[in-house]
Amino acid sequence: MRRMIARMWRGWASTTTADDYQHHYESEVAGHLQRVAGFRGARLLRRQDGEEVMFTSITFFAGMDDVRAFAGEDPERAVVEETARRALTRWDERVTHHEVTADLQR
């Protein structure tokens, strides 16, 4: 298996703006990620969390240099664009990175 880094982040939105955030992720975030050479894919998870909707973003990169190409010199700092800030009620300011040790696909 080729080496891969998973970048995980969470954000919450009200039920009225959750679709706005999802649209932002599928368009603007996707476009930004596609321009990063080491980008290997992304998943956006969505679940009802009380009165809010919680999103978990998992993005995959070939290595930490590629993460820095996306996130900047402080790779643990969350990248939350203004459009996302308008749709979200709160979000993790810091992200976590994990080495992918198994990639099971059907």
Side-chain angles (χ1 to χ4, degrees), residues 15-72:
T15 54
T16 57
T17 61
D19 289 344
D20 295 338
Y21 178 75
Q22 184 171 333
H23 176 73
H24 163 73
Y25 191 94
E26 293 170 335
S27 58
E28 294 172 48
V29 174
H32 188 120
L33 288 167
Q34 293 293 338
R35 293 188 293 275
V36 176
F39 172 64
R40 297 289 180 258
R43 300 287 185 271
L44 183 64
L45 311 179
R46 178 179 174 151
R47 75 185 276 278
Q48 194 67 40
D49 187 23
E51 297 296 313
E52 296 177 300
V53 174
M54 181 177 74
F55 291 99
T56 301
S57 170
I58 308 171
T59 50
F60 299 95
F61 297 90
M64 286 305 294
D65 287 341
D66 303 306
V67 171
R68 285 182 189 88
F70 168 70

Side-chain angles (χ1 to χ4, degrees), residues 6-13 21-22 24-25 29 33 42-46 53-61 70-71 75-81 83-98:
R7 175 182 171 90
M8 297 180 65
W9 170 88
R10 295 174 310 162
W12 291 261
Y21 178 75
Q22 184 171 333
H24 163 73
Y25 191 94
V29 174
L33 288 167
R43 300 287 185 271
L44 183 64
L45 311 179
R46 178 179 174 151
V53 174
M54 181 177 74
F55 291 99
T56 301
S57 170
I58 308 171
T59 50
F60 299 95
F61 297 90
F70 168 70
E76 272 84 43
R77 183 182 58 81
V79 176
V80 186
E81 297 172 5
T83 303
R85 291 172 185 266
R86 287 193 300 269
L88 297 170
T89 56
R90 59 191 170 103
W91 54 86
D92 292 340
E93 296 287 342
R94 307 296 287 171
V95 303
T96 57
H97 296 96
H98 309 264

